[in-house]
Amino acid sequence: MSLKIYNTQSGQKEEFIPRKPGEVGVYVCGVTPYNFCHIGNARPYVIFDVIRRFLESQDWKVLLVQNFTDIDDKIINQAQNDGVEWNEIPARYIPAYFEDMDALGVKRADIYPLATEHISEIISLVEELVKNGLGYEIDGDVYFRVKKFNDYGKLSNRTPEELLAGARIEVDERKEDPLDFALWKAAKEGEPSWPSPWGPGRPGWHIECSAMSLKYLGMGFDIHGGGADLVFPHHENEIAQAEGAKGTSPFVRYWVHNGWVTMASQKMSKSLGNIRSIRDVLSHWPADVVRLFLLSVHYRSPLDFTEEAMESARAGLERLQVGMKRLKRLTANPAAEGPLSSSLTALEKAEETASQRFQEAMEDDFNTAAALGAIFDLVRELHRATGQIDYKPTSADQALLTKTEDTLKRLTGILGLMEKTETVGEDLTGSLVDLLVEVRNQAREARNFEMSDTIRARLTDLGIILEDGPQGTTWRRR
Ligand SMILES: [Zn+2]
């Protein structure tokens, strides 16, 4: 395999060469569990789930680590709002995160480290930085001395001056330089704290990810991921902390950042209030539709959440499901011996090229949009080849249809689609249409064609197309 990955640090697609052949260490910044996740939060986790599935499908061993920032200003504020102890907030929202991700078919990471369970690793890293002259203490707070780390800005490709000009920095007169950031924060009245060489306090925002990725993946690990909004300051600071403490580089070989989900072209974020929670979205659309939507554009591009985009994902998935159902039906019973029907020669070609096109798309910086294109082209050809009402497969047809089914299952499996049995239409609608189809069939058997035609026509008005085949009637949405 010749995989190319866009590396934020170089601003280029690079050939991916893992540190150890056949093994890939991945760290993805996780959530701060202070509330339910929104659909924008879900994007990196679905993307990295697909990246992992793809690498594993190539027989690579993946170690995926994803943290929870379980102590943070947001958690403390939420606890004060709710009138509960700080640790009740992550205890409530970490399980909620897993429920949401399970519903979306995101496989569990290998390790989910918590910041509060790595305080001693965090303190050791801060101590190393203080010893190197890169950390300094003021009144129980410890800051990183940005001026002393020459590579600062290499991920964002900006000088410290440029970074400062574009950043919202809290003013703190005690800092030597406005860009200096907190490694350790002295405890304030009523806040949770842990003992440290600088007095009781808690970790700053960035240090946990350096400490925990170094612990589980080691210096120079393969892929570090997260949303594009984490490039500066979070990931820039992670590099400064890790490389500053260890005195070697690189901390990370490939930096992978996803674009954000927008609503009316504005970034979806809790602070803007334009969010749709994963739960809310999943109450309107099946999980596979949400997944397909999230994978429908390349991961680095912004993705606009609209009803139309969701409905278009639903329609695509329905075509896929109807195709899979048809494949099942056409291969259920052995067919008469015979050569390949002429209507299936194009399908044979499409089946042969689909896997290759899918593979090329994924090797090209995980281009899921193009990979989906390969799948849908195969589905389109399948519908074209087998869509005639009087189509009856031969034994050679059945062999090709079985192969097509296997290919579709394998490719959709890498994208984590079609693993659930739910149909993408609403359940009740589907059951009612099934019922009407049954009533219509009985009417036909009783030669009540007026009734059967009426049912068909009324369903057509509602956008439901009936297909009568040799092995029964199937239906699909228009
Ligand atoms: Zn992080």
Side-chain angles (χ1 to χ4, degrees), residues 221-282:
F221 67 90
D222 297 300
I223 297 176
H224 192 318
D229 48 339
L230 295 181
V231 173
F232 179 80
H234 186 54
H235 289 164
E236 199 69 68
N237 292 351
E238 276 190 45
I239 294 177
Q241 292 162 160
E243 296 185 1
K246 302 301 169 193
T248 58
S249 115
F251 164 49
V252 169
R253 297 165 69 85
Y254 301 85
W255 285 94
V256 174
H257 293 100
N258 64 277
W260 45 57
V261 176
T262 58
M263 230 167 154
S265 302
Q266 259 202 325
K267 184 195 171 199
M268 196 182 280
S269 79
K270 282 189 180 113
S271 52
L272 287 173
N274 60 342
I275 53 171
R276 289 284 295 267
S277 73
I278 295 173
R279 295 170 177 229
D280 171 35
V281 171
L282 284 175

Side-chain angles (χ1 to χ4, degrees), residues 27-30 67 69 205-206 208-209 224 230 234-235 238:
Y27 186 92
V28 180
C29 287
N67 68 307
T69 301
W205 172 31
H206 315 289
E208 70 183 86
C209 285
H224 192 318
L230 295 181
H234 186 54
H235 289 164
E238 276 190 45

Side-chain angles (χ1 to χ4, degrees), residues 269-381:
S269 79
K270 282 189 180 113
S271 52
L272 287 173
N274 60 342
I275 53 171
R276 289 284 295 267
S277 73
I278 295 173
R279 295 170 177 229
D280 171 35
V281 171
L282 284 175
S283 73
H284 290 83
W285 290 280
D288 266 359
V289 172
V290 181
R291 252 187 112 97
L292 185 64
F293 162 72
L294 290 170
L295 299 173
S296 62
V297 304
H298 185 262
Y299 75 83
R300 278 191 290 122
S301 306
L303 177 58
D304 206 32
F305 181 90
T306 60
E307 296 271 327
E308 296 77 53
M310 294 303 288
E311 284 309 316
S312 138
R314 188 209 288 272
L317 206 61
E318 255 176 333
R319 279 200 301 281
L320 189 56
Q321 283 195 340
V322 171
M324 294 303 275
K325 270 191 196 153
R326 184 182 290 170
L327 284 168
K328 220 178 193 162
R329 174 167 58 78
L330 292 173
T331 54
N333 301 307
E337 277 301 316
L340 197 68
S341 305
S342 60
S343 62
L344 265 68
T345 47
L347 179 63
E348 191 174 35
K349 216 178 202 136
E351 196 281 326
E352 277 167 17
T353 52
S355 296
Q356 197 194 336
R357 281 179 56 202
F358 182 95
Q359 179 77 18
E360 281 168 7
M362 291 301 285
E363 285 183 15
D364 183 16
D365 195 25
F366 311 112
N367 190 342
T368 53
L372 281 166
I375 291 176
F376 281 113
D377 283 349
L378 180 56
V379 172
R380 187 173 309 120
E381 190 47 46

Side-chain angles (χ1 to χ4, degrees), residues 325-326 328-335 385-394 397-398 401 440-441 444-445 466-474:
K325 270 191 196 153
R326 184 182 290 170
K328 220 178 193 162
R329 174 167 58 78
L330 292 173
T331 54
N333 301 307
T386 61
Q388 299 294 339
I389 283 181
D390 55 354
Y391 170 69
K392 262 202 174 87
T394 64
D397 287 4
Q398 279 194 332
L401 294 173
R440 175 173 168 269
N441 285 342
R444 288 165 84 202
E445 273 167 37
L466 301 189
E467 288 178 356
D468 293 317
Q471 277 148 66
T473 305
T474 57

